[in-house]
Amino acid sequence: MQISLSDLKVNVGRYVELAETEDVIITKYGRPAAKIIRFDREPWYRKAVPEKVTSVEQLFGTLPGDVDLDDIRTERLL
């Protein structure tokens, strides 16, 4: 959502609450000047990261569900 700086001055609380669900772009003289984003209480470096992710596991999101990896390996070796 885009709002003007003068509107933000009048309704600060409203836009802070709105920023919990979506980014709020603040414009000054019609041009984007700032952005209010949701505050994440847990820092990015403390979030759970998988210990090991193989390239095949990364591809599972892009491959159809009925694909057999052994068939793909066989075709690739031919």
Side-chain angles (χ1 to χ4, degrees), residues 14-27:
R14 174 180 168 206
Y15 293 117
V16 169
E17 288 180 12
L18 185 63
E20 293 177 4
T21 58
E22 64 181 281
D23 292 347
V24 177
I25 309 293
I26 303 162
T27 61

Side-chain angles (χ1 to χ4, degrees), residues 10-78:
V10 175
N11 300 310
V12 174
R14 174 180 168 206
Y15 293 117
V16 169
E17 288 180 12
L18 185 63
E20 293 177 4
T21 58
E22 64 181 281
D23 292 347
V24 177
I25 309 293
I26 303 162
T27 61
K28 186 174 181 180
Y29 302 115
R31 295 183 180 170
K35 179 160 84 169
I36 303 175
I37 60 171
R38 183 178 60 89
F39 177 73
D40 194 6
R41 296 199 183 275
E42 186 175 353
W44 63 269
Y45 54 85
R46 287 194 178 173
K47 293 184 179 179
V49 177
E51 291 184 21
K52 182 179 179 182
V53 177
T54 65
S55 59
V56 173
E57 289 174 343
Q58 291 174 348
L59 289 174
F60 275 129
T62 59
L63 294 174
D66 60 344
V67 172
D68 185 23
L69 293 178
D70 292 329
D71 291 341
I72 293 173
R73 286 186 188 110
T74 305
E75 290 178 20
R76 192 171 144 225
L77 293 175
L78 293 177

